Amino acid sequence: MGISSKSAQFLLDSRIADAMQGQPEALYDLGICYQTGTAGAVVDLIEAHKWFNLAAVAGFRDAAGARAEVAEDMTAREIALAQRQARDWLGMTRRAA
C-alpha cells in the first residue's frame, strides 16, 4: 500500500522540524529520504549528502559512512555545494536557537 503525497509531505516536514531541534536521527533519516527517494522526497544526492554530513557532525554513528557512499556518485562541485548547504543550515539553526 502506497503513501499519499499529503502523508509523505507530513513525514518530511516532521523530520525537518525534528532536525531543527538538533535530533541526529532526524538528520540521518532525511539523508536516507533524499538518497532513496522515500517519504515523498525526490532523489537528490546533494540534499542527501548535506543531511548525512549534518548527522555526522551531530554524532550519528552511521552517517559518515552513508555520506561517503553518496559521495561516490557525486562530482567535486556537488560535494562542495552540499557542504556549503550544511554550513548554511548550521548557521541558520544556531541563530534560531
Side-chain angles (χ1 to χ4, degrees):
M1 181 149 124
I3 185 170
S4 74
S5 62
K6 189 174 183 178
S7 295
Q9 189 60 51
F10 173 77
L11 288 171
L12 277 179
D13 291 345
S14 68
R15 295 320 281 161
I16 289 171
D18 292 342
M20 290 188 77
Q21 299 300 315
Q23 294 181 18
E25 299 84 10
L27 298 165
Y28 183 79
D29 288 348
L30 286 164
I32 293 292
C33 288
Y34 284 102
Q35 179 186 24
T36 62
T38 55
V42 296
V43 173
D44 184 335
L45 297 184
I46 294 169
E47 279 293 303
H49 190 284
K50 173 184 87 174
W51 293 113
F52 287 141
N53 197 23
L54 291 165
V57 168
F60 196 85
R61 188 172 39 110
D62 296 333
R67 179 185 58 205
E69 182 181 321
V70 167
E72 290 176 7
D73 295 323
M74 298 172 68
T75 66
R77 179 169 280 156
E78 290 170 328
I79 293 168
L81 177 57
Q83 291 170 335
R84 185 170 39 255
Q85 289 178 358
R87 283 191 301 274
D88 291 347
W89 172 268
L90 285 173
M92 178 191 70
T93 56
R94 287 184 180 148
R95 281 191 300 275

